[in-house]
Amino acid sequence: MKMTTIKQMTLLVFFCLWVWCCTDSNKPTEGVANIESKQKAFTIEAKMDIDTLLSRFDKEVVHIGYDFEVKKAKIYLGVNSHKIFSSLIRELNIDSSKYDVTFFCKDGYSPTVSLLQLLERNGYIVTKDVEAKDVWEEDIKAKFAPAYLVWDIPKNDHKHAFPYGIVQLQFIEKATEYSLAKPRTTAKEPIEGFALFKDKCIKCHSINQEGGIMGPELNYPKNITEYWQLEQIKLFIKNPSSFRANTKMPQLTELTDAQIDLIFKYLQFMTTQKIVKND
Ligand code: HEC
């Protein structure tokens, strides 16, 4: 046999061995799959699964001085939001001043939280109540699982959202955020009303199908001002439980009458702007 043929045959044997090794079904592949799913690449456009995201980090014990949702001090297991978002910013090469983050919850609540706020060191995404017998206290388990965003902040701070039952999150570019819900006008009142609506209402209500789905859509196809008596809308916003027992809409006591008026002006303006994504 010629030398080159022997070389070729040896190479062939090695090649076959290599192929066999890689396809051997008895080989433990679970470890490999695990690493892959942990490092699954996220993209700036797509929604990220909360469990996949959190599986990348070690959980720590978190002491919350006053938890706004359960109204007492709490100890949880979770990950600091600064850790999560600074790592995603590096990975996705994001300019942190240009983006916000929308959290998607099981009940349709979907608040948008400023990325800069998430980079402060007092927020945590938690997955277990350390003091509970099970993962969560029995009465709030259905609500809080799989994850809850909690802040260690003073009692009088109203600038933070506490979404629970978080299943996904997504980066959203400030410049294009809610572009269909934004009033296309230079008039002052609808613009100011929209700023308030974005801050207080859009996490639960959509306009032109942009926003949360916990409460009803308020513009498309029919605007709320086209089928509710105008004064009643304002009264409802001011005190929902004076209309409906057990309403899921909270009373937003911090809103003044003048602010409710502005929100109303915005809603009314939107009768002239009915556009949705697939139109
Ligand atoms: C935490 C979620 C949440 C927030 C925040 C919220 N709402 Fe609601 N809203 C609801 C839900 C849920 C309903 C459905 C009716 C109910 O449960 O009584 C509702 C109902 C309404 C209705 C009556 C519509 C109908 O036909 O039922 C109006 C108008 C309304 N909301 C306006 C607002 C405005 C304006 C804001 C902001 C100032 C706001 N809501 C903030 C959840 C919310």
Side-chain angles (χ1 to χ4, degrees):
M1 239 191 270
K2 275 205 298 193
M3 208 48 195
T4 47
T5 325
I6 294 173
K7 258 193 194 160
Q8 274 168 356
M9 281 186 66
T10 329
L11 270 175
L12 187 71
V13 169
F14 272 116
F15 178 69
C16 293
L17 257 170
W18 177 72
V19 169
W20 176 78
C21 275
C22 293
T23 53
D24 182 4
S25 57
N26 292 327
K27 231 178 101 196
T29 54
E30 209 177 82
V32 177
N34 242 338
I35 292 167
E36 270 172 10
S37 72
K38 272 191 184 174
Q39 295 182 338
K40 193 171 135 193
F42 290 125
T43 62
I44 188 95
E45 300 87 17
K47 288 182 183 173
M48 301 175 190
D49 176 61
I50 196 79
D51 291 331
T52 315
L53 177 60
L54 294 178
S55 71
R56 295 170 156 205
F57 302 93
D58 291 329
K59 309 253 166 47
E60 53 179 311
V61 174
V62 177
H63 290 261
I64 303 295
Y66 179 79
D67 180 333
F68 280 57
E69 272 307 320
V70 292
K71 310 223 169 352
K72 57 180 176 189
K74 289 297 301 178
I75 309 173
Y76 294 112
L77 207 61
V79 187
N80 189 290
S81 67
H82 174 85
K83 208 169 175 183
I84 299 171
F85 290 96
S86 55
S87 133
L88 283 172
I89 285 169
R90 249 177 283 125
E91 180 179 333
L92 301 174
N93 201 11
I94 294 171
D95 176 347
S96 56
S97 66
K98 296 209 167 109
Y99 283 85
D100 285 334
V101 177
T102 302
F103 290 82
F104 297 92
C105 306
K106 282 187 298 197
D107 57 7
Y109 184 68
S110 53
T112 297
V113 179
S114 134
L115 184 51
L116 296 176
Q117 197 176 53
L118 289 162
L119 287 170
E120 289 167 11
R121 288 165 199 272
N122 53 3
Y124 302 87
I125 300 184
V126 299
T127 54
K128 180 178 162 46
D129 180 341
V130 172
E131 295 150 306
K133 275 198 216 88
D134 198 0
V135 179
W136 299 103
E137 292 290 359
E138 200 47 50
D139 55 334
I140 54 167
K141 191 161 87 187
K143 236 168 94 169
F144 278 46
Y148 166 46
L149 173 64
V150 60
W151 304 86
D152 193 21
I153 47 172
K155 249 182 175 176
N156 58 358
D157 182 324
H158 294 293
K159 295 198 171 66
H160 292 74
F162 287 71
Y164 46 74
I166 302 168
V167 280
Q168 289 176 311
L169 56 86
Q170 185 176 27
F171 283 99
I172 150 162
E173 202 176 350
K174 283 185 191 169
T176 58
E177 181 177 304
Y178 302 124
S179 59
L180 301 177
K182 193 173 175 170
R184 297 178 184 174
T185 174
T186 49
K188 203 166 151 249
E189 286 179 326
I191 293 174
E192 286 179 8
F194 176 60
L196 287 163
F197 191 88
K198 220 166 75 167
D199 191 27
K200 305 288 178 196
C201 324
I202 214 160
K203 52 197 161 206
C204 293
H205 292 282
S206 64
I207 294 287
N208 292 334
Q209 293 181 24
E210 282 187 331
I213 52 169
M214 186 172 181
E217 153 79 38
L218 296 177
N219 191 46
Y220 191 88
K222 268 201 192 271
N223 181 290
I224 183 83
T225 65
E226 292 168 326
Y227 59 90
W228 267 54
Q229 287 176 7
L230 304 187
E231 269 317 302
Q232 302 298 323
I233 299 177
K234 289 188 203 167
L235 292 173
F236 183 90
I237 298 170
K238 211 169 168 177
N239 187 2
S241 59
S242 69
F243 282 68
R244 294 175 184 155
N246 304 318
T247 177
K248 283 197 183 122
M249 173 153 160
Q251 189 178 1
L252 302 159
T253 45
E254 70 274 18
L255 284 176
T256 63
D257 284 356
Q259 288 176 319
I260 292 179
D261 254 355
L262 287 171
I263 293 175
F264 183 80
K265 292 268 166 46
Y266 159 67
L267 289 172
Q268 236 178 355
F269 173 83
M270 293 310 281
T271 55
T272 64
Q273 187 182 312
K274 295 187 184 181
I275 23 159
V276 288
K277 271 211 178 87
N278 300 323
D279 256 13

